[in-house]
Amino acid sequence: MDIARDTFTWLVTGPDPLSLNGRLFPGLPNRYIPLDEVRDRLLARRCPQATRDAVWAHLVLRSRTEGATWTVAAVGVALPALTSVAATLTNRFAGDPADVHAEVLRGFLTALSTIDLRPPRIMLRLRWDAYRSGHQALDEALAGPTPVAPGFRSTPPHPPWGHPDLVLARAVADGVLTPTEAALIGATRLEEVPVADWAAWHQTGEWAVYKARKRAELRLAAYLRDGAVADDPTDPLTDQVATSLALTQPTAPVRDTTHSSLSVSAVEVDSAQKVARRVSKTDPKSGVQGCGGHPRSARPLEVPQCA
């Protein structure tokens, strides 16, 4: 755009500026008019559309027949419109706008050699051809990768990094979960599949599925707490799975530290024993709501659990 503006300025500067014979066009003075003055007259609101079309038909024909000088002249006369198009396209574009501006100009020059001069509003149609060319270049620039400065730096890993299923797969590989248990947790916790539906699909009792998931979650919670967190406390996968599973551990009652002789190692052993304990119908800490009872309809505490 700057080169076109400077070149056009040279053409209309000096004792013999590039001009049009105003006698050939209705609405223009009967004299030779420099092209920069022609441009200003065409931009005026009171300029008739017939005058604009006649001047632009003349400029396009001379550009096609004589080339170079008159092509630059046509660009110079259209420069206010082309500048507006380029500014509109790159107003919020964070990258280098030079390529988009160049495509706007290229679209205009291409249209000069192909536009039909018989319909009216020649300049308006030239402008839209320039806009479409620049818009296509802008779309390609926005769809491309974000440019970065040269050098070495950390970049986000490629997908599927960051997916909670990777932690489940890692637990299966380490022998913490079976593939069926990982599929159960992933479906009912992460994908929000109802336990009843999962049990029906696998032809298993609903209560058995609840118990199997509880055992698997206890092992997975211990694995995440004692293994993955120790290896890399900043691992985002650990937080995602822990949040998705909503793994809760029983909170130990607050003890008076002045009278308690329970050591840290004893707490860890007790925690390990809780994880390793098998869930049984007769275990008072199993979480079972009653022998033969349904998990969704717990009996009142007053009712005896079972013999």
Side-chain angles (χ1 to χ4, degrees):
M1 293 291 184
D2 293 336
I3 295 175
R5 181 181 295 105
D6 294 340
T7 306
F8 179 75
T9 301
W10 296 336
L11 292 178
V12 296
T13 302
D16 189 20
L18 193 63
S19 305
L20 288 182
N21 187 354
R23 297 184 180 91
L24 302 178
F25 307 100
L28 294 183
N30 294 331
R31 59 181 175 84
Y32 280 91
I33 309 172
L35 284 183
D36 56 342
E37 182 181 343
V38 172
R39 178 186 61 192
D40 295 340
R41 289 180 177 273
L42 295 181
L43 291 175
R45 290 181 177 272
R46 61 179 180 274
C47 181
Q49 185 61 48
T51 302
R52 293 173 180 167
D53 287 338
V55 171
W56 270 109
H58 180 79
L59 292 174
V60 171
L61 288 175
R62 297 201 69 170
S63 172
R64 292 176 181 177
T65 56
E66 302 181 31
T69 299
W70 283 97
T71 299
V72 175
V75 172
V77 175
L79 205 56
L82 298 181
T83 303
S84 175
V85 168
T88 300
L89 289 173
T90 58
N91 184 30
R92 298 183 179 180
F93 181 52
D96 186 0
D99 291 341
V100 179
H101 293 177
E103 284 300 311
V104 169
L105 187 56
R106 187 195 64 78
F108 176 80
L109 293 175
T110 301
L112 278 181
S113 60
T114 59
I115 193 169
D116 187 357
L117 299 179
R118 290 171 295 181
R121 300 185 180 276
I122 297 174
M123 180 55 210
L124 180 62
R125 289 184 283 125
L126 288 170
R127 181 185 183 277
W128 276 112
D129 285 339
Y131 180 89
R132 282 189 287 269
S133 179
H135 191 274
Q136 182 179 358
L138 180 62
D139 284 344
E140 293 175 356
L142 293 176
T146 304
V148 296
F152 297 97
R153 62 186 54 81
S154 298
T155 58
H158 298 289
W161 176 89
H163 199 282
D165 284 345
L166 294 181
V167 171
L168 296 176
R170 190 170 59 194
V172 172
D174 292 343
V176 178
L177 300 177
T178 65
T180 302
E181 290 171 337
L184 169 61
I185 294 174
T188 60
R189 292 298 194 187
L190 303 180
E191 300 174 11
E192 299 182 355
V193 175
V195 173
D197 294 346
W198 196 94
W201 295 340
H202 293 78
Q203 298 180 354
T204 307
E206 182 178 352
W207 184 238
V209 173
Y210 272 104
K211 292 196 294 183
R213 187 179 66 177
K214 182 65 175 180
R215 288 192 293 264
E217 287 179 348
L218 289 174
R219 294 197 306 273
L220 181 59
Y223 169 74
L224 293 177
R225 182 180 62 250
D226 301 333
V229 175
D231 294 338
D232 185 4
T234 63
D235 186 358
L237 299 181
T238 300
D239 294 337
Q240 292 181 29
V241 172
T243 302
S244 301
L245 297 178
L247 299 174
T248 58
Q249 298 298 325
T251 304
V254 178
R255 298 175 180 268
D256 186 356
T257 56
T258 60
H259 299 86
S260 175
S261 60
L262 186 61
S263 64
V264 176
S265 59
V267 173
E268 294 176 351
V269 171
D270 181 62
S271 176
Q273 291 175 349
K274 289 180 181 180
V275 172
R277 182 184 297 119
R278 297 183 59 187
V279 178
S280 173
K281 294 181 180 180
T282 59
D283 190 342
K285 297 183 179 180
S286 64
V288 178
Q289 298 161 337
C291 180
H294 194 277
R296 296 180 182 175
S297 58
R299 298 181 180 179
L301 295 179
E302 296 81 6
V303 179
Q305 299 296 316
C306 60

